[in-house]
Amino acid sequence: MKISFVIPVHNEQDNLLPLFDEITRMADAERYEYEVIFVDDGSRDGSLGVLKALAREYPAARYLSLAANRGQSAALGVGFAHAAGDVIITMDADGQNDPADVPAMMARYGEGCDMVTGWRRNRRDTLSKRLGSRIGNGIRNRLTGESIHDTGCSLKVMRADMVKRIKMFKGMHRFLPTLMRLEGARVVEMEVNHRPRRHGTSNYTNWRRAREGFFDLLAVRWMQRRYQPATIGERHV
């Protein structure tokens, strides 16, 4: 079973080398067959240069560079499309997600789950960001019928053939557990570690999340109500 790590990147030049080192040390210790796909989402710093250097030196390192900044969902969608693994693992490029959580999540995945999503129960973020996330998760769960504590956690383990069927419109990365369920996935949540940001600053604000998330939520609610999976009764093809 091959694993594809898919990591969107936007202005994270100082975090990329330490993160890649952590991922590879963990994956080699676990004897995974893996690749690490970085998707540069129109970075304006030296991120792309760092990714090119990694790809030249390490066979497991891959990168894709978008022609312009298109957002996290678009970057993830491009990474999903180019991933060769049976399992896709996503995480942020800022180093706040801990690769050491992956073996336990993979063990849970191996028990028959199609998606294991992280829950940053003890978040190492500002109070305003924690409160904004809690309010946003509550509203999303209320309107979508979900019970996920932390839809914004980027650390996720997903069955590749399922997640590749999802159209990654802008903002859809926040609704991946719900969208995976629409594909028939068994989704579970696990507590994971969360670390302070090492370098750089966040690319999001609470106001931006709230404004964009409201319209995204309406779209996902519409999809839930209108989704009709077709089950084949008989075939002769």
Side-chain angles (χ1 to χ4, degrees), residues 39-43 64-71 74-75 78:
V39 184
D40 181 58
D41 183 23
S43 293
L64 299 157
S65 178
L66 304 189
N69 176 247
R70 286 293 179 262
V78 169

Side-chain angles (χ1 to χ4, degrees), residues 7-13 16 37-49 51 62-71 75 78:
I7 303 171
V9 177
H10 184 66
N11 297 335
E12 299 286 0
Q13 62 178 18
L16 298 174
I37 302 176
F38 293 97
V39 184
D40 181 58
D41 183 23
S43 293
R44 298 183 301 276
D45 63 357
S47 293
L48 183 56
L51 298 180
R62 314 268 195 273
Y63 75 89
L64 299 157
S65 178
L66 304 189
N69 176 247
R70 286 293 179 262
V78 169

Side-chain angles (χ1 to χ4, degrees), residues 96-109 115-123 147-151 153-157 187-195:
Q96 290 193 269
N97 297 135
D98 190 348
D101 286 314
V102 168
M105 297 178 77
M106 282 295 296
R108 189 74 177 92
Y109 178 87
M115 179 180 189
V116 183
T117 183
W119 173 16
R120 301 164 295 179
R121 189 165 191 170
N122 297 308
R123 285 187 64 170
S147 59
I148 299 295
H149 293 87
D150 188 8
T151 59
C153 180
S154 295
L155 185 53
K156 295 177 170 68
V157 176
V187 179
V188 298
E189 192 173 29
M190 282 185 64
E191 290 186 30
V192 295
N193 187 28
H194 192 239
R195 307 181 293 191

Side-chain angles (χ1 to χ4, degrees), residues 117-134:
T117 183
W119 173 16
R120 301 164 295 179
R121 189 165 191 170
N122 297 308
R123 285 187 64 170
R124 303 297 297 274
D125 280 323
T126 62
L127 177 61
S128 64
K129 186 174 287 189
R130 296 198 305 270
L131 288 175
S133 180
R134 182 174 297 181

Side-chain angles (χ1 to χ4, degrees), residues 167 169 172 179 182 216 218-228:
K167 295 292 185 182
F169 294 101
M172 291 299 100
L179 298 175
L182 288 180
D216 297 338
L218 295 180
V220 171
R221 183 65 182 136
W222 179 86
M223 284 190 278
Q224 285 182 302
R225 292 175 64 88
R226 303 297 294 175
Y227 187 72
Q228 280 191 314

